[in-house]
């Protein structure tokens, strides 16, 4: 019998790749184990074993695998099942899902090393200086890594030298595998076993009587061992005995102490877990009861609760119940809302059972969460994470919470898999026969629609916890204010009045502006030209902080120009306004108040975001100016006023969801005001105070908003009535992208007729030197989704067979909104 192994490679391949394996290997291997395999020209990849069979591939001769890397699968069967759904639904390869799911450290990479060519005879005169240096180094060690060569030659461009040496036969290149995950080992000490008996111990202490410092170390070790009843770290012993590590080292060298290592998790939480979960009030208790009842017949329940209604405390009860049953729970949050605030709250209740999975975590930290979860350990029973946490190896999942389920950041746009974490969560829960709760103060139209159709259960919380009043929302007419000269910069007299009053009372203020940077666009007041990015089809934005013009798409930047590039006049002026400019204006209006800004620019780094939040919580900041980031589930006690600087740039955004999103964003920001006993105040500045969405925001009329928006979606055939698949073609040549898009759209129209829109250039048509052109497919409710995708794949295959189009990149995006 001949055995073959299909593997998943972490690269976009349409099919699994097949290798030849021995019978022994076939017996040992299980799906989900890593294997090192040769692929392409002498490259070695880490692949995942997928299936074992006896069918030789027909299109190529199967190579043999290089080696098996695991004793046990690192990926579970349920996980593979879920990945298959993701790949299938979002039209990407399993390899792309694998790449997104597996911590980098698991993907062992081959590294090129240089070894001496033993058989060659080299005459040293033939070698140039830099070649000789490497040759010489290889006389002393058997191999060199690329980075060694870099430091020997003290330059980055080493490839030409290396290639010449290969040509001259001096050395050979080899690929070597190395594992990137390094367990963190902590050093411990104990008394050497030679001294364990009472007698020996006495001898030892006597012996050390002339070395009082060493004696002190031994005595401290005893005290510690007696009081702590656990292994003693070297660092602990050194600290408590006051002895330097040299002294401890000396004792180890003399075999009086013995050192040993224990593998330790990098992320450890101190204490916590003793706090009782809160007793729910009557409204919450009813809601919890209704959720449980709904779970009896439905696997998904939508919890629609106004901001600060106490949703989190209800989740806590649901979590507690699952943990007591020994089940795992996944708590999904939008990346940005993953703050210490919530993590701290959950750790107070659940202590060590909480594991956090964060994109800002290092590779090694991710590996630890992965392993703890796969092994169903208690210390990862409750995983809090952003969307990619969904791809972790759950082994015993009971419940998934998708908090702020309306959040756009649950959708991954680039690279593939372009999945929506909320939808993929529902599927994951079903695979585990677990339940999903979707929670929001402003549910997405899709979820609310699913609930209204009876597909999801539905539970509502209409009042804030403790009956705190919803904030009072006032609309300020900017056109009128400008006309009557009641504006100072971007601040209306009303806003300034309210700000003054709030500050006088000792409360804090949040100002929301939907743009970062000082002033997005620079324009010449003589000729109207604005400086453009040379790589992308967008205007550059001005950043005062660095006196730079920057592109938000590709990062291109240049110093602020003195003269207009078109007409040469020194009349460049800033137009529009961003968070930075608002901050500047506040400083002038309230010179003795502390102002801070929270946006992408000020929150870089691992703790950037948290630092600002903590400062604001500690009331070291009076006025916080920020973007979207401010909206996400933050709980500040002393904010009384929220100002929305300009509602119109939200409402006018060119997207079919602009109105829904405006409602969500403004309601969420408003929800930051008055979360305790005082009633909050919200001022929304706008040129369109009669806009329906603004009226609905100010009266908290979600249902009305839903009905009206759904009407539009029916009429214009948009989700959640129709489904959408967006196809983007990319190429650096404008004509080629046009031809390719026309070809593609024409083929699609033969199948889908008038449900194909475009091709159309997006508002920003050139990004990173590539022209983009979009085609949109609308899929009616009664049209089979899988047949639709099959038809698209067929067209895509024919497209790729056209020689001229082979270099055109095609991006498929299912549910692209
Ligand atoms: P939401 O998640 O709906 O915005 P939270 O769960 O954060 O609301 O609750 C709002 C505030 O009310 C929080 O400060 C929370 O601690 C408090 N709270 C909610 N429920 C209770 C309860 N049952 N007992 C005491 N405090 C509660
Ligand atoms: Zn650019």
């Amino acid at each position: 019998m001949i055995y073959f192994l299909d593997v998943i490679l972490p690269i976009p391949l349409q099919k699994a790749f097949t290798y030849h394996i021995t019978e022994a290997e076939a017996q040992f291997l299980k799906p989900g184990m890593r294997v090192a395999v040769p692929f392409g020209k002498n490259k070695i990849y880490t692949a995942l074993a997928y299936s074992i069979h006896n069918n030789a591939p027909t299109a190529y001769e199967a190579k043999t695998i290089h080696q098996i890397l695991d004793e046990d699968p690192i990926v579970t069967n349920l996980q593979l099942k879920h990945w298959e759904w993701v790949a299938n639904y979002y039209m990407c390869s399993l390899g792309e899902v694998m790449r997104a799911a597996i911590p980098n450290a698991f993907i062992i990479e081959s590294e090129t090393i240089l070894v001496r060519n033993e058989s060659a005879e080299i005459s040293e005169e033939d070698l140039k200086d830099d070649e000789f240096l490497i040759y010489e180094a290889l006389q002393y060690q058997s191999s060199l890594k690329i980075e060694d060569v870099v430091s020997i030659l003290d330059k980055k461009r080493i490839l030409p030298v290396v290639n010449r040496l290969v040509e001259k036969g001096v050395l050979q290149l080899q690929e070597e595998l190395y594992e990137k995950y390094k367990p963190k080992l902590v050093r411990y000490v104990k008394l050497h076993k030679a001294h364990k008996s009472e007698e020996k111990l006495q001898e030892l202490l006597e012996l050390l009587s002339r070395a009082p410092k060493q004696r002190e170390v031994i005595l401290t070790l005893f005290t510690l061992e007696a009081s702590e009843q656990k292994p003693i770290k070297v660092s602990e012993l050194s600290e408590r005995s006051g002895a330097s590590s040299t002294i401890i080292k000396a004792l180890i060298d003399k075999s009086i102490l013995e050192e040993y290592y224990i593998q330790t998790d990098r992320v450890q939480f101190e204490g916590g877990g003793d706090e009782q979960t809160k007793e729910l009030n009557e409204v919450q208790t009813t809601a919890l009861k209704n959720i449980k009842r709904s779970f009896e017949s439905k696997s998904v329940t939508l919890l629609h609760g106004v901001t600060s209604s106490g949703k989190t405390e209800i989740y806590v009860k649901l979590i507690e119940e699952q943990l007591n049953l020994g089940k795992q729970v996944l708590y999904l949050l939008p990346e940005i809302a993953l703050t210490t605030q919530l993590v701290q709250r959950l750790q107070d209740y659940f202590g060590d059972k909480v594991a956090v999975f964060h994109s800002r975590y290092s590779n090694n930290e991710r590996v630890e969460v992965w392993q703890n979860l796969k092994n169903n350990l208690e210390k990862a029973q409750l995983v809090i994470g952003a969307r990619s946490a969904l791809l972790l190896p759950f082994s015993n999942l009971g419940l998934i919470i998708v908090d702020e389920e309306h959040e756009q950041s649950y959708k991954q746009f680039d690279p593939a898999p372009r999945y929506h974490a909320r939808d993929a969560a529902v599927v994951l829960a079903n695979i585990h026969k677990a339940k999903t709760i979707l929670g929001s103060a402003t549910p997405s139209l899709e979820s609310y629609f699913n609930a209204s159709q009876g597909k999801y259960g539905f539970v509502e919380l209409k009042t804030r916890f403790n009956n705190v009043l919803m904030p009072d929302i006032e609309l300020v007419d900017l056109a009128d204010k400008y006309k009557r000269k009641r504006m100072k910069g971007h601040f209306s007299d009303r806003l300034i009045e309210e700000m003054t009053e709030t500050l006088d009372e000792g409360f804090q203020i949040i100002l929301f502006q939907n743009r970062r940077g000082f002033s997005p666009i620079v324009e010449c007041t003589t000729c109207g030209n604005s400086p453009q990015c040379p790589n992308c089809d967008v205007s550059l934005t001005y950043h005062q902080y660095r006196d730079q013009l920057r592109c938000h798409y590709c990062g291109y930047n240049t110093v602020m120009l003195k003269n207009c590039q078109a007409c040469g006049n020194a009349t460049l002026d800033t137009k529009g306004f961003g968070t930075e400019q608002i901050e500047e204006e506040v400083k002038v209006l309230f010179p003795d108040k502390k102002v801070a800004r929270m946006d992408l620019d000020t929150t870089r780094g691992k703790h950037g975001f948290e630092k600002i939040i903590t400062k604001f919580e500690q009331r070291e900041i009076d006025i916080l100016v920020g973007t979207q980031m401010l909206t996400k589930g933050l709980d500040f006690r002393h904010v009384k006023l929220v100002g929305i600087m300009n509602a119109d740039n939200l409402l006018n955004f060119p997207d079919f969801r602009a109105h829904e999103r405006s409602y969500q964003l403004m309601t969420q920001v408003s929800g930051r005001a008055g979360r305790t006993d005082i009633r909050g105040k919200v001022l929304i500045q706008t040129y369109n105070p009669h806009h329906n969405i603004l009226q609905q925001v100010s009266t908290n009329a979600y249902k009305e908003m839903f009905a009206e928006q759904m009407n539009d979606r029916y009429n214009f055939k948009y989700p959640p009535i129709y489904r959408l698949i967006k196809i983007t073609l990319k190429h650096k040549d404008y004509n080629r992208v046009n031809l390719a898009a026309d070809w593609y759209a024409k083929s699609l129209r033969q199948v889908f007729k008038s449900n194909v829109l475009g091709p159309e250039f997006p508002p920003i048509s050139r990004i990173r030197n590539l022209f983009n052109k979009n085609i949109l497919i609308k899929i009616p409710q009664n049209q089979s989704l899988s047949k639709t995708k099959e038809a698209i794949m067929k067209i895509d295959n024919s497209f790729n067979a056209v020689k001229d189009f082979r270099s055109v990149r095609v991006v498929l995006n299912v549910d692209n909104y």
Side-chain angles (χ1 to χ4, degrees):
M1 198 64 123
I2 306 176
Y3 291 91
F4 294 96
L5 173 72
D6 284 356
V7 302
I8 309 172
L9 283 156
I11 44 178
L13 287 179
Q14 276 199 12
K15 293 198 184 100
F17 215 70
T18 308
Y19 290 85
H20 178 234
I21 48 174
T22 65
E23 186 169 352
E25 286 168 338
Q27 250 130 47
F28 183 80
L29 274 166
K30 293 195 193 81
M33 284 184 181
R34 290 174 302 168
V35 285
V37 294
F39 187 80
K41 260 197 192 158
N42 56 42
K43 260 276 166 209
I44 295 170
Y45 277 94
T46 305
L48 270 189
Y50 186 53
S51 70
I52 296 152
H53 56 84
N54 307 106
N55 312 318
T58 48
Y60 51 92
E61 178 139 7
K63 294 184 195 168
T64 57
I65 63 171
H66 195 290
Q67 67 186 101
I68 299 173
L69 298 168
D70 292 309
E71 307 254 298
D72 297 302
I74 61 154
V75 172
T76 67
N77 281 330
L78 291 180
Q79 220 177 346
L80 283 174
K81 215 165 149 190
H82 186 236
W83 291 6
E84 278 161 12
W85 180 85
V86 172
N88 195 355
Y89 186 89
Y90 293 103
M91 301 178 86
C92 66
S93 71
L94 269 174
E96 286 167 311
V97 186
M98 168 185 172
R99 202 79 189 77
I102 289 194
N104 258 327
F106 274 142
I107 302 195
I108 297 171
E109 280 182 357
S110 59
E111 180 176 49
T112 306
I113 57 163
L114 287 58
V115 292
R116 192 166 56 214
N117 186 357
E118 307 283 358
S119 59
E121 280 184 34
I122 308 296
S123 86
E124 293 178 8
E125 293 91 82
D126 291 347
L127 299 176
K128 293 186 183 168
D129 286 354
D130 48 4
E131 295 169 10
F132 180 76
L133 285 174
I134 299 173
Y135 169 78
E136 192 190 23
L138 276 173
Q139 305 309 308
Y140 301 107
Q141 47 193 123
S142 59
S143 70
L144 289 175
K145 290 183 182 171
I146 294 291
E147 62 194 52
D148 300 333
V149 178
V150 170
S151 67
I152 292 170
L153 298 182
D154 195 23
K155 62 177 180 186
K156 283 261 149 55
R157 261 179 62 83
I158 56 153
L159 228 52
V161 188
V162 171
N163 287 338
R164 284 201 308 269
L165 286 166
V166 173
E167 265 165 42
K168 291 181 181 173
V170 178
L171 48 86
Q172 290 172 333
L173 300 181
Q174 277 182 7
E175 296 286 308
E176 194 163 271
L177 290 173
Y178 70 100
E179 186 131 23
K180 284 191 275 185
Y181 169 68
K182 292 195 186 64
K184 182 183 172 194
L185 295 174
V186 174
R187 209 165 139 233
Y188 290 84
V189 272
K190 57 186 179 197
L191 196 64
H192 196 279
K193 50 184 176 305
H195 308 284
K196 274 274 148 83
S197 72
E198 192 79 8
E199 209 173 308
K200 295 272 179 203
L201 194 60
Q202 278 309 325
E203 269 173 43
L204 177 65
L205 288 175
E206 235 145 80
L207 191 76
L208 289 179
S209 59
R210 268 174 299 147
K213 276 195 181 152
Q214 297 190 359
R215 197 163 183 269
E216 180 60 30
V217 172
I218 304 293
L219 292 172
T220 311
L221 181 62
F222 286 147
T223 325
L224 279 173
E225 279 180 341
S227 64
E228 311 249 314
Q229 301 285 347
K230 58 165 210 219
I232 306 301
K233 288 183 201 149
V234 173
S235 55
E236 210 174 346
L237 181 60
S238 157
E239 191 183 309
R240 291 285 282 273
S241 64
S244 68
S245 52
T246 341
I247 296 177
I248 298 178
K249 177 81 173 26
L251 286 164
I252 293 169
D253 289 345
K254 284 200 259 176
S255 288
I256 295 172
L257 294 180
E258 197 181 331
E259 63 181 337
Y260 60 108
Y261 291 87
I262 299 181
Q263 191 176 327
T264 311
D265 280 359
R266 283 183 170 73
V267 186
Q268 290 189 341
F269 301 113
E270 299 291 316
D274 356 314
E275 198 162 313
Q276 290 291 312
T277 60
K278 291 197 171 63
E279 199 168 314
L280 299 185
N281 68 15
E282 218 179 291
V283 185
Q284 288 171 312
T285 310
T286 313
L288 179 64
K289 214 161 39 190
N290 289 341
I291 291 170
K292 287 187 185 168
R293 183 169 315 140
S294 144
F295 278 157
E296 284 167 16
S297 59
K298 305 221 154 83
S299 51
V300 185
T301 297
L302 173 64
L303 174 61
H304 178 203
V306 296
T307 51
S308 204
S309 54
K311 295 184 288 296
T312 314
E313 300 301 333
I314 297 180
Y315 304 147
V316 164
K317 292 290 182 199
L318 290 165
I319 294 169
E320 193 173 35
E321 193 179 290
Q322 291 297 320
L323 297 185
N324 288 341
L325 289 170
K327 290 280 197 179
Q328 296 170 330
V329 177
L330 169 61
Y331 193 135
L332 279 181
L333 279 160
E335 180 73 38
I336 248 161
L338 255 181
T339 58
T340 34
Q341 275 193 339
L342 180 85
V343 173
Q344 188 59 55
R345 205 155 139 193
L346 293 169
Q347 269 161 13
D348 288 344
Y349 297 139
F350 306 118
D352 295 344
K353 293 186 180 164
V354 178
V356 183
F357 192 76
H358 205 288
S359 72
R360 290 181 187 183
Y361 270 17
S362 77
N363 246 314
N364 288 323
E365 289 164 342
R366 286 154 173 254
V367 169
E368 280 159 10
V369 176
W370 183 285
Q371 283 167 339
N372 293 342
L373 200 55
K374 187 175 69 88
N375 297 328
N376 197 12
L377 297 189
E378 207 175 60
K379 60 183 164 186
Q381 235 188 310
L382 169 58
V383 177
I384 312 175
R387 61 168 185 254
S388 60
L390 196 77
L391 302 169
L392 287 167
F394 293 93
S395 45
N396 184 21
L397 192 62
L399 174 72
I400 303 182
I401 296 158
V402 185
D403 198 6
E404 313 285 356
E405 68 85 31
H406 64 279
E407 265 297 322
Q408 197 175 14
S409 61
Y410 278 128
K411 166 80 180 173
Q412 162 133 337
F413 282 92
D414 265 314
R418 299 182 172 79
Y419 64 106
H420 197 297
R422 176 197 56 223
D423 301 340
V426 170
V427 174
L428 178 69
N430 285 341
I431 288 176
H432 282 263
K433 302 195 168 45
K435 301 293 179 191
T436 310
I437 181 138
L438 310 177
S440 174
T442 52
S444 63
L445 290 199
E446 301 93 274
S447 295
Y448 204 83
F449 180 68
N450 278 330
S452 68
Q453 299 282 303
K455 194 171 153 197
Y456 296 167
F458 182 70
V459 176
E460 232 174 344
L461 278 173
K462 291 184 177 162
T463 51
R464 288 186 143 187
F465 180 73
N466 261 347
N467 290 320
V468 175
L469 287 172
M470 293 300 285
D472 169 33
I473 301 180
E474 177 181 328
L475 301 170
V476 178
D477 184 350
L478 282 178
D480 176 66
K481 294 291 180 193
Y482 273 111
K483 204 170 79 201
R484 295 197 287 139
K485 305 219 169 356
R486 297 272 171 81
M487 297 292 291
K488 276 192 187 148
H490 295 94
F491 290 76
S492 61
D493 54 353
R494 276 298 293 132
L495 186 52
I496 296 173
E497 270 163 37
E498 287 291 336
M499 286 177 74
T500 311
E501 194 184 311
T502 305
L503 293 168
D504 285 349
E505 291 170 3
F507 290 108
Q508 291 170 299
I509 299 172
I510 286 177
L511 297 177
F512 171 76
Q513 173 57 23
N514 187 35
R515 271 179 185 167
R516 71 177 164 130
F518 180 76
S519 160
I521 296 162
V522 174
E523 202 177 74
C524 172
T525 52
T526 310
C527 73
N529 181 63
S530 21
Q532 301 285 311
C533 172
N535 311 317
C536 310
D537 182 22
V538 285
S539 304
L540 295 170
T541 61
Y542 178 55
H543 286 237
Q544 189 193 39
Y545 172 62
R546 301 197 194 104
D547 198 34
Q548 264 186 354
L549 291 169
R550 292 188 72 88
C551 169
H552 279 187
Y553 285 85
C554 72
Y556 169 85
N557 59 75
T558 169
V559 289
M560 173 64 184
L561 302 167
K562 297 265 179 303
N563 301 85
C564 170
Q565 284 166 311
C567 72
N569 281 356
T571 46
L572 285 175
D573 199 6
T574 51
K575 207 186 134 192
F577 62 108
T579 41
E580 208 174 325
Q581 187 163 0
I582 300 295
E583 187 191 11
E584 291 301 311
E585 291 183 18
V586 175
K587 281 181 181 161
V588 174
L589 288 170
F590 300 96
D592 51 345
K593 296 295 173 190
K594 280 166 295 227
V595 187
R597 174 161 61 93
M598 183 153 91
D599 56 25
L600 276 179
D601 295 322
T602 58
T603 54
R604 289 186 208 286
K606 197 161 174 174
H607 301 293
F609 185 62
E610 259 133 59
K611 267 191 214 149
I612 298 179
I613 288 180
T614 310
K615 270 191 163 172
F616 196 53
E617 271 177 346
Q618 307 289 324
R619 307 175 81 168
E620 285 167 40
I621 296 168
D622 301 304
I623 304 163
L624 185 58
V625 182
T627 57
Q628 260 71 339
M629 285 189 173
L630 282 172
T631 60
K632 312 293 158 21
L634 293 169
D635 193 4
F636 299 120
R637 324 253 76 193
H638 303 284
V639 174
K640 193 176 160 197
L641 177 67
V642 168
I644 296 177
M645 299 308 296
N646 180 326
D648 305 297
N649 59 24
L650 289 174
L651 291 166
N652 297 334
F653 197 76
D655 178 82
F656 78 93
R657 309 193 82 175
H659 287 178
E660 177 191 353
R661 291 221 184 289
S662 303
Y663 180 92
Q664 288 161 341
L665 210 59
M666 285 189 265
T667 304
Q668 294 285 350
V669 195
S670 305
R672 300 312 112 205
R675 285 178 70 91
T676 39
D677 38 1
I678 38 138
R679 183 168 194 200
K681 174 93 190 171
V682 179
L683 285 184
I684 303 179
Q685 303 195 126
T686 171
Y687 285 96
N688 295 292
H690 300 293
H691 197 291
N692 278 353
I693 287 288
L694 293 177
Q695 293 296 328
Q696 288 152 1
V697 170
S698 60
T699 53
N700 199 23
Y702 178 89
K703 279 208 179 94
E704 207 175 287
M705 183 282 292
F706 175 77
E708 194 175 294
Q709 294 305 312
M710 282 303 289
N711 216 9
D712 283 357
R713 305 287 173 91
Y714 270 109
N715 292 339
F716 299 105
K717 301 186 173 163
Y718 274 109
I721 307 302
Y722 276 52
R723 288 170 181 273
L724 296 180
I725 295 179
K726 187 169 96 176
I727 300 173
T728 305
L729 294 98
K730 303 184 178 194
H731 198 272
K732 62 178 188 304
D733 177 34
Y734 178 81
N735 289 323
R736 180 146 337 175
V737 97
N738 270 329
L739 281 174
D742 286 344
W743 187 101
Y744 215 114
K746 203 173 137 208
S747 312
L748 289 168
R749 279 211 172 86
Q750 285 172 1
V751 186
F752 303 114
K753 312 284 183 289
S754 65
N755 282 329
V756 179
L757 303 187
E760 192 59 53
F761 284 111
I764 295 155
S765 61
R766 195 162 63 110
I767 297 175
R768 293 190 182 88
N769 265 327
L770 294 178
F771 285 97
N772 289 353
K773 208 162 186 183
N774 293 329
I775 304 169
L776 201 63
I777 305 174
K778 289 182 167 180
I779 306 166
Q781 263 171 328
N782 55 9
Q783 180 176 320
S784 149
L785 200 56
S786 56
K787 291 237 169 66
T788 305
K789 288 175 190 167
E790 264 168 42
I792 295 173
M793 282 323 289
K794 219 162 133 194
I795 290 167
D796 196 63
N797 285 334
S798 330
F799 177 83
N800 285 320
V802 180
K803 204 167 120 266
D804 276 357
F805 297 154
R806 208 159 293 157
S807 57
V808 177
R809 266 198 69 200
V810 179
V811 173
L812 301 173
N813 192 337
V814 180
D815 300 341
N816 66 296
Y817 45 90

